[in-house]
Amino acid sequence: MMDKNGVSPVIGVMLMLVMTVILAAVVSSYSGSLISPQDRTWQLVISAKANTEYFIIRHEGGDPIPLSAFKISIYSTETLNTTTVDLSDLNKDGIPDAYNEIGNGNGIFESGEAIKVYWTNTTWTPQQGDKIVIELYERSGNKPITKAVTVVG
């Protein structure tokens, strides 16, 4: 004699599990598309080195980020001096005003690339031996993205 009651609950549970997984995938896909690019949180790691003529920021890994999406803030932990660098082409001549992009020059700061900024393009120049913090900030929301600490050589 065959027991037909044992088969139906197993199939019912399996169908409910499949429906739950499909529903979760649909909700996840829909909610992920609601985030606008401006609300994006950039994930990257930088390193920095500086001398009394210029500083270099190197993209060590993580998300590629358009140069137009961030600005650079530099400050001394000892003297509390601070300056910012805007990476936009202010006079629209196709030549960056304050920096040199070391890499493929496409306007995207990608892993392995670097940005070189001369202190003459800033409002303050640190002295040799100063410990400085170089931070990247989102241009639109002024939220910090990442930072690096170095000593001016």
Side-chain angles (χ1 to χ4, degrees), residues 19-133:
M19 292 296 287
T20 303
V21 168
I22 291 171
L23 184 61
V26 168
V27 169
S28 174
S29 173
Y30 177 73
S31 64
S33 67
L34 293 177
I35 298 174
S36 67
Q38 290 82 16
D39 295 337
R40 179 179 178 158
T41 301
W42 303 101
Q43 300 291 323
L44 64 134
V45 176
I46 62 169
S47 64
K49 66 182 195 177
N51 59 34
T52 56
E53 187 180 344
Y54 58 84
F55 65 91
I56 295 177
I57 302 170
R58 182 164 304 280
H59 189 305
E60 298 295 344
D63 295 332
I65 181 170
L67 294 174
S68 60
F70 68 92
K71 61 186 175 184
I72 303 170
S73 175
I74 306 106
Y75 64 90
S76 169
T77 59
E78 291 131 3
T79 64
L80 303 181
N81 288 326
T82 186
T83 189
T84 59
V85 177
D86 189 348
L87 298 178
S88 60
D89 179 14
L90 298 176
N91 56 6
K92 309 290 186 225
D93 63 358
I95 301 168
D97 294 325
Y99 68 96
N100 293 350
E101 182 183 357
I102 304 167
N104 61 15
N106 65 352
I108 307 290
F109 191 35
E110 300 171 297
S111 185
E113 293 184 346
I115 299 171
K116 181 178 187 179
V117 180
Y118 288 91
W119 291 111
T120 54
N121 294 310
T122 66
T123 58
W124 159 74
T125 303
Q127 301 301 311
Q128 188 169 4
D130 284 354
K131 183 178 178 182
I132 60 171
V133 179

